[in-house]
Amino acid sequence: MFEWRTNKWYLASTGKYIYGNGVLFYGGSQGKGLRGASYIGSIRVEMMRDGVEEYQMLTMIEDLLGEKAAKDIVSRVSTNVVRYLSLPNFSTSGWSSSMDEYDIMAAVRKDMGNTLEAAVRNGQCEHKWNGGEVTEEPTCLEIGYMTYTCTECGAQRDEYIPAYHTEGSCFKITSSTVTCTEDGTVTSKCTICGFEKIRTVSARHNDSDYYRYESKNNSVHNVFCTECGQLIDAVAHLSFAYKENPTCTEKGSQGIRCKLCDYSAETYSFDAAGHSYVDGTCTVCGETDPAYAPEPDVMKGDISGDGKINGMDINIAKRILSGTAEPTDEQLVAADVTGDGAFNGLDANLLSRFISGSINDFN
Ligand SMILES: [Zn+2]
Ligand SMILES: [Zn+2]
Ligand SMILES: [Zn+2]
Ligand SMILES: [Zn+2]
Ligand SMILES: [Zn+2]
């Protein structure tokens, strides 16, 4: 059992205690002298403080981002300072050659702080993830990782990539003894590592992967082999009721269908629903109404279009009413102050009362 020993002994010739290895604080005569402090911390205590801080940060990172994120940081520095640069998973290639190992340690520490800060901010941000990049390629037997970064806050999220053998596309069939009527074995080989696996497989006529279905009548469909074309069986339809709702432009239908062949029965169809336009846009499918003409953006009463309602507007209104002026569409909308769709004497009357100040609005 290790016992913490402060290496302190009495030096009779000076009548003082001497401090050495294991001491965290220097006190008494040794502490004094340095800026007059009665106690000062040793370099050892500073290292312990940094170590405790890093341990706390790593624990927080593990809680927030998972074990892998914490391990990634640990793998960049060993706790054994003497050995860490020689660790196989610590690469110095990303660092400038002018940096010494203390700079590198500081850079890793800074990275850890940034990672933690982003993770803490996580939850206050509705992340927008980028396309992600492969940060660890999978191997035949081990999973890899895809890392996605939030383009807003920099938070990162890992998703694993299955090992090649689990995913299976690395295997190519090298030989097969299966026939249409005889069971057999299929041998496939990994194109990366050469691993071979052998499966026992049913004869093709017992394997639905090789079936093609054709409706024969209202109750059954024929089953043919896709390899030799032979009729294997005639079995009942796998019928189910379905309903497809009409869309704005496409008909809908309802009836009974076979899951395997093209048989269908009792079929009803529904007319397309047509668009439901509001302000020129279909509220169902978003289609734009080709016939939509938005009402011109004009101020009621400002027939001249100069931004003011005054005598000039009542002048134009009178000329339109008498037929001596040909109004534009915009002018007609501005002149129709009641908004009833037509410009007439009532509008002109309201307009002159507004200008004289006897009314404050046209409602
Ligand atoms: Zn975010
Ligand atoms: Zn393999
Ligand atoms: Zn066959
Ligand atoms: Zn069928
Ligand atoms: Zn529509």
Side-chain angles (χ1 to χ4, degrees), residues 3-80:
E3 196 187 332
W4 184 261
R5 287 177 75 100
T6 55
N7 200 353
K8 168 184 152 184
W9 69 93
Y10 184 68
L11 195 64
S13 61
T14 62
K16 287 172 180 167
Y17 286 98
I18 300 295
Y19 296 83
N21 262 343
V23 172
L24 299 178
F25 294 93
Y26 297 107
S29 60
Q30 293 199 358
K32 279 179 183 155
L34 264 178
R35 297 182 218 107
S38 54
Y39 283 91
I40 57 167
S42 64
I43 290 173
R44 198 169 299 110
V45 94
E46 282 174 25
M47 287 171 77
M48 281 174 69
R49 179 204 59 200
D50 288 351
V52 168
E53 235 172 57
E54 276 148 27
Y55 176 76
Q56 283 177 337
M57 286 169 87
L58 280 169
T59 308
M60 286 170 78
I61 286 174
E62 186 172 338
D63 285 349
L64 291 162
L65 296 174
E67 200 183 344
K68 182 183 174 288
K71 273 189 177 155
D72 277 355
I73 289 170
V74 174
S75 74
R76 298 172 66 187
V77 275
S78 160
T79 46
N80 183 339

Side-chain angles (χ1 to χ4, degrees), residues 248 275 282 285:
C248 292
H275 296 294
C282 176
C285 73

Side-chain angles (χ1 to χ4, degrees), residues 177-226:
T177 61
V178 183
T179 69
C180 277
T181 50
E182 301 280 333
D183 294 352
T185 56
V186 172
T187 306
S188 37
K189 195 171 179 177
C190 173
T191 51
I192 300 163
C193 71
F195 176 79
E196 255 184 5
K197 59 180 183 187
I198 298 168
R199 285 178 298 138
T200 308
V201 175
S202 301
R204 286 195 279 271
H205 290 189
N206 292 323
D207 182 347
S208 61
D209 281 358
Y210 292 92
Y211 292 173
R212 185 174 59 79
Y213 305 91
E214 222 172 72
S215 180
K216 188 181 179 189
N217 55 40
N218 285 348
S219 47
V220 297
H221 52 226
N222 285 328
V223 183
F224 296 96
C225 172
T226 56

Side-chain angles (χ1 to χ4, degrees), residues 4-179:
W4 184 261
R5 287 177 75 100
T6 55
N7 200 353
K8 168 184 152 184
W9 69 93
Y10 184 68
L11 195 64
S13 61
T14 62
K16 287 172 180 167
Y17 286 98
I18 300 295
Y19 296 83
N21 262 343
V23 172
L24 299 178
F25 294 93
Y26 297 107
S29 60
Q30 293 199 358
K32 279 179 183 155
L34 264 178
R35 297 182 218 107
S38 54
Y39 283 91
I40 57 167
S42 64
I43 290 173
R44 198 169 299 110
V45 94
E46 282 174 25
M47 287 171 77
M48 281 174 69
R49 179 204 59 200
D50 288 351
V52 168
E53 235 172 57
E54 276 148 27
Y55 176 76
Q56 283 177 337
M57 286 169 87
L58 280 169
T59 308
M60 286 170 78
I61 286 174
E62 186 172 338
D63 285 349
L64 291 162
L65 296 174
E67 200 183 344
K68 182 183 174 288
K71 273 189 177 155
D72 277 355
I73 289 170
V74 174
S75 74
R76 298 172 66 187
V77 275
S78 160
T79 46
N80 183 339
V81 178
V82 182
R83 235 168 32 86
Y84 81 92
L85 280 173
S86 63
L87 282 179
N89 50 8
F90 185 87
S91 162
T92 56
S93 58
W95 315 101
S96 145
S97 58
S98 65
M99 291 170 89
D100 66 19
E101 59 203 60
Y102 293 101
D103 295 334
I104 293 171
M105 291 283 272
V108 172
R109 196 174 281 142
K110 190 176 145 196
D111 253 21
M112 178 160 75
N114 289 340
T115 304
L116 185 59
E117 203 176 311
V120 169
R121 265 208 306 261
N122 189 345
Q124 296 162 18
C125 173
E126 286 178 19
H127 301 307
K128 286 202 180 79
W129 302 110
N130 69 0
E133 68 174 316
V134 177
T135 41
E136 208 172 313
E137 287 279 356
T139 65
C140 279
L141 301 174
E142 280 175 38
I143 59 170
Y145 287 95
M146 184 89 174
T147 302
Y148 298 87
T149 306
C150 172
T151 54
E152 305 278 307
C153 74
Q156 292 195 318
R157 171 174 72 85
D158 286 327
E159 245 171 46
Y160 82 87
I161 308 167
Y164 295 136
H165 285 198
T166 318
E167 195 259 324
S169 65
C170 58
F171 283 98
K172 289 274 169 304
I173 292 173
T174 49
S175 67
S176 169
T177 61
V178 183
T179 69

Side-chain angles (χ1 to χ4, degrees), residues 221 237-238 258 261 263:
H221 52 226
H237 290 301
L238 202 58
C258 174
C261 73
Y263 170 75

Side-chain angles (χ1 to χ4, degrees), residues 256-298:
I256 287 172
R257 265 181 201 159
C258 174
K259 264 199 166 78
L260 299 171
C261 73
D262 59 1
Y263 170 75
S264 67
E266 260 181 67
T267 307
Y268 304 101
S269 72
F270 313 98
D271 287 341
H275 296 294
S276 311
Y277 292 123
V278 172
D279 291 337
T281 306
C282 176
T283 54
V284 180
C285 73
E287 183 83 19
T288 305
D289 181 357
Y292 180 67
E295 198 164 272
D297 185 20
V298 295

Side-chain angles (χ1 to χ4, degrees), residues 338-359:
T338 58
D340 63 358
F343 170 56
N344 51 35
L346 175 60
D347 297 297
N349 188 290
L350 285 172
L351 187 57
S352 43
R353 285 169 64 200
F354 182 88
I355 292 164
S356 70
S358 62
I359 55 170

